[in-house]
Structure formats: structure tokens, C-alpha cells
Amino acid sequence: MPVISEHGGNIYKITSECGLDHIIDFSANINPLGLPAGVRPALNGYEEALLHYPDPDCIKLKEDLAKRHGITSNQILISNGSIELIYLIPQLIKPEQSLILVPGFSELEKACRLSGSRIKRISLPEASGFCIEVADIIAQLEGIRLVSIINPNNPTGVLFPAAELLSLVAACEKRGIWLIIDEAFLDFTGTAGEYNLINKAAESEKLIVLRSLTKFYALAGLRLGYGVANSKVIAKLAMLKPPWSVNQLAQVVGLAALKDNDYPAESRRLISRERQYLWDALSQDTRLKPYPGAANYLLVRLIGSSLNASQLQKRLLTSGYLIRDCTNFVGLDNSFFRLAVRKPEENQGLIRAIRECLS
Ligand SMILES: Cc1ncc(COP(=O)(O)O)c(C=O)c1O
């Protein structure tokens, strides 16, 4: 069964290749609560939204987000998932050389390469739980034009302390280096207020912060994200963006999702409790080594098993569970896999299935 996908979440490919009609997807890190309550009512009469071109400036969504973050609309650019900005930013900056941490979400490197950039990688050491001091990044800035950081990192879940990131921002600004901080999963950590650099990005010369609504609000199929930077940078990025890339349905749904005031806290409570459940269950098994992560997923290593991650993935699929085989992450090998944190009964079912596969 050829089930390797470049990323997690390719349920269409996997269900068709494996002849399954249903899987529980632990391979993509999407909020298990599903759509916020206000979204379905907002879809009543949505046909109207399909008849016209979408608002190319996403005015209402920008105003709403600006108010929430205490910044101005012209410091925000709404995008078709944060991935759209990951590809636009290197086109604007045209870096000769970019600095990337590995293992990490591979699209940041791919987007830089596509814009002609050479890549310098820093390996996050497994021995220290894939943590690195920001001073070690600062020591590697010579000849670099763009640095990309994911906070918390994917797939490790490691969160950089805010004070350290601020020292990286200062070091980059001093040297005229651009810095992208991808906060796609920060909302899940419950530390967003403490760690988010949005306000810093709105006034910085060189910092761009990326946010995703697709993961936290479970809109992965609809695609919605945004970037925050100073208004001049936002205006330049907006010039590069194809018009209408954010469709009207995504704008309407995004606004409705943001209005659900209970959803964020409820999501964080669930994730924190269930991450702990998964962590405890995985840690008890001597053939598995989970790595502590702050996000809605856990990186796990097979240490005393005859199975590798790809074999485990295939076996779990026969029980209807899809995990992320991490073999294709630079800096990891075929002993690593990643699990999204899902609802209690799903997590318990997965743990039972993993134990059966390994026994
Ligand atoms: C770290 C990271 N950033 C950005 C993205 C893209 O997210 P979006 O769905 O907002 O385009 C992903 C998707 O997996 C991701 O892992």
C-alpha cells in the first residue's frame, strides 16, 4: 500500500489508494472540535456569496482581526491559508541565502528555493529534545537575508521563549535580515498572549508574523490565513498576491468563526488534557519515545520496535487510523511519527491500535 504523502492530511489519496471509506486522521493537526458553532448559521444564504467576486481586500475580516490584535487593518494581509504568504514573502524579499531550522515544515524551504535562494540549515538536536538557544541561531546569521522560525515548531511542538525571540528580532533588525515567525499553531498552546509577536511585527522593519485560521478553527478545506507586518511591507505583499485568492465563503466563515467566544478556551482545554493523555500512554510503552510539545500534536520515536514509522502507519491504517510518517522530514528518519491530538475516544482507540501493532 503506497501511502506516503508529502504532508499529513491527504485523506483523499489515502482512502482511494487503500480502498478505505473512512479514516480517523491523526496525520493533520486540525482542531478536533470541528467547526465553531456560529459557522453553520453563517452559511445560510451562502449562495449569494458565490454569485459575486469576493472582496479582494477582505475588509471586514481585516477590521475584525485588527481590533482583536490592537493593530490597524493596513498591517494585515489575509491569505488563502498561511501557505500563500509562505510563497509570496520570498518573492518579495528575493533572498540570496535563507536560514531554516530542521526538522520543520518543509514548505518554508521549498518556497525560498523557488525564489532562487540558497538554503542554510540548522539542525535542531534530538539529544536536547529538538530545542536550540536563540544565541545559536544568531551566531549563524552571517550572509543570511531571511530567517524562518516556526513557533511552536512543527513537527516537534517546541516553543521558543518570547524573550529569546525578541532578541532574535533585534539581532535580525540590526543586521537588516528579514525574519518570518510562523505562528500557525500558537493558538493551541494557550500561551498566545505571552508569546505572540504580532504587535512587534506591526511596527518592525523586518519581522513578518504568519497566522493560520485553518488549523485552530478547523477550516483546512476552506483555506484561510493572514500575515502581520508594517504597513509598507503589507502593501508590497498585497501587490504580489493574485486578486480574489481568498474566496467569499472563507471570508464569511472566518468572521463567524472568530465571533465564537467559547471555542478558543474550550479547544485549549481539550488539547491540553488530551495531549497529556497521549503523552502518558505513549511514555508508558518502552518501545516509544514521545517528545514534549506545546501544540496540538506530539512527535514520537520508535525505539525498541522491529517496525519503522512507515510500517506502523500501514498497519494502523487497517484499523482506520492515519498517522504522519515523519521519514520525509529533513533531520528525522524512519523511526519518527507524529500524532495530532484528537477527541478522547479517538485518542484511546489509537493508543489501543498502536499497542496491538507493536505487540
Ligand atoms: C508550520 C506550518 N505553517 C503553515 C502551514 C500552512 O497552513 P495553512 O493551512 O494556513 O496554509 C502549515 C500546514 O501544515 C504548517 O505546518
Side-chain angles (χ1 to χ4, degrees), residues 48-122:
E48 189 63 23
L50 305 185
L51 299 179
H52 306 284
Y53 275 90
D55 169 8
D57 304 312
C58 306
I59 293 171
K60 284 193 180 152
L61 197 50
K62 266 201 292 200
E63 280 173 356
D64 187 289
L65 287 166
K67 215 181 284 171
R68 283 169 199 277
H69 292 305
I71 57 177
T72 55
S73 284
N74 61 1
Q75 292 162 330
I76 299 180
L77 185 60
I78 311 285
S79 56
N80 188 336
S82 54
I83 197 71
E84 186 177 23
L85 291 168
I86 288 177
Y87 276 79
L88 282 186
I89 294 166
Q91 285 177 39
L92 175 70
I93 296 170
K94 298 199 172 25
E96 277 173 22
Q97 190 173 201
S98 309
L99 190 64
I100 306 272
L101 309 186
V102 293
F105 181 53
S106 60
E107 297 295 333
L108 292 153
E109 173 170 335
K110 206 168 132 196
C112 287
R113 283 193 193 281
L114 267 180
S115 70
S117 177
R118 283 180 289 121
I119 302 293
K120 182 172 176 180
R121 292 174 177 155
I122 296 183

Side-chain angles (χ1 to χ4, degrees), residues 26 136 253 279 309 321:
F26 282 84
D136 294 333
V253 167
W279 166 268
Y321 296 103

Side-chain angles (χ1 to χ4, degrees), residues 255-273:
L255 268 171
L258 287 166
K259 284 201 173 65
D260 189 328
N261 292 326
D262 300 329
Y263 187 87
E266 202 188 326
S267 305
R268 286 192 274 269
R269 266 197 306 274
L270 173 75
I271 295 298
S272 157
R273 200 183 59 225

Side-chain angles (χ1 to χ4, degrees), residues 188-204:
F188 287 101
T189 65
T191 52
E194 204 181 320
Y195 282 76
N196 99 60
L197 292 193
I198 281 186
N199 295 81
K200 184 76 188 164
E203 64 188 32
S204 164

Side-chain angles (χ1 to χ4, degrees), residues 81-83 86 105 150 154 182 184-185 212 214-215 223-224:
S82 54
I83 197 71
I86 288 177
F105 181 53
I150 309 169
N154 176 14
D182 177 346
F185 295 101
S212 171
T214 66
K215 290 140 193 331
R223 323 288 312 122
L224 197 56

Side-chain angles (χ1 to χ4, degrees), residues 95-359:
E96 277 173 22
Q97 190 173 201
S98 309
L99 190 64
I100 306 272
L101 309 186
V102 293
F105 181 53
S106 60
E107 297 295 333
L108 292 153
E109 173 170 335
K110 206 168 132 196
C112 287
R113 283 193 193 281
L114 267 180
S115 70
S117 177
R118 283 180 289 121
I119 302 293
K120 182 172 176 180
R121 292 174 177 155
I122 296 183
S123 293
L124 299 166
E126 189 201 342
S128 54
F130 299 100
C131 296
I132 188 177
E133 301 275 325
V134 159
D136 294 333
I137 304 175
I138 295 175
Q140 305 270 344
L141 291 179
E142 183 67 37
I144 298 296
R145 178 106 168 100
L146 171 65
V147 179
S148 298
I149 302 284
I150 309 169
N151 202 43
N153 191 23
N154 176 14
T156 63
V158 171
L159 197 56
F160 277 106
E164 288 209 20
L165 279 185
L166 286 174
S167 71
L168 180 60
V169 175
C172 286
E173 282 176 339
K174 198 167 134 202
R175 294 164 176 79
I177 296 170
W178 289 91
L179 175 60
I180 299 176
I181 299 191
D182 177 346
E183 297 184 343
F185 295 101
L186 192 65
D187 283 328
F188 287 101
T189 65
T191 52
E194 204 181 320
Y195 282 76
N196 99 60
L197 292 193
I198 281 186
N199 295 81
K200 184 76 188 164
E203 64 188 32
S204 164
E205 280 301 305
K206 293 291 173 194
L207 174 64
I208 304 173
V209 166
L210 302 182
R211 283 294 181 96
S212 171
L213 296 179
T214 66
K215 290 140 193 331
F216 192 68
Y217 290 100
L219 307 173
L222 198 54
R223 323 288 312 122
L224 197 56
Y226 60 100
V228 175
N230 77 56
S231 57
K232 281 184 283 180
V233 173
I234 290 295
K236 286 185 194 160
L237 280 171
M239 299 277 284
L240 289 175
K241 196 169 90 70
W244 313 298
S245 67
V246 183
N247 69 69
Q248 196 62 26
L249 214 47
Q251 296 184 41
V252 168
V253 167
L255 268 171
L258 287 166
K259 284 201 173 65
D260 189 328
N261 292 326
D262 300 329
Y263 187 87
E266 202 188 326
S267 305
R268 286 192 274 269
R269 266 197 306 274
L270 173 75
I271 295 298
S272 157
R273 200 183 59 225
E274 289 304 307
R275 188 179 54 226
Q276 189 63 48
Y277 164 76
L278 284 171
W279 166 268
D280 291 342
L282 295 162
S283 308
Q284 278 164 17
D285 194 317
T286 52
R287 295 156 300 187
L288 298 170
K289 177 173 166 45
Y291 291 83
N296 56 326
Y297 44 86
L298 286 174
L299 180 67
V300 188
R301 183 165 200 178
L302 288 155
I303 42 175
S305 167
S306 56
L307 293 184
N308 63 32
S310 148
Q311 291 162 333
L312 177 64
Q313 185 201 48
K314 283 173 196 159
R315 289 212 189 164
L316 284 170
L317 266 175
T318 61
S319 314
Y321 296 103
L322 176 62
I323 58 168
R324 173 69 157 97
D325 168 7
C326 290
T327 308
N328 67 350
F329 274 93
V330 175
L332 299 181
D333 61 28
N334 67 1
S335 60
F336 289 91
F337 63 96
R338 192 191 63 204
L339 304 176
V341 178
R342 297 191 56 93
K343 288 184 173 168
E345 56 283 11
E346 296 172 325
N347 298 331
Q348 289 156 22
L350 176 71
I351 291 294
R352 272 196 304 276
I354 290 179
R355 285 183 183 147
E356 272 166 32
C357 289
L358 295 181
S359 61

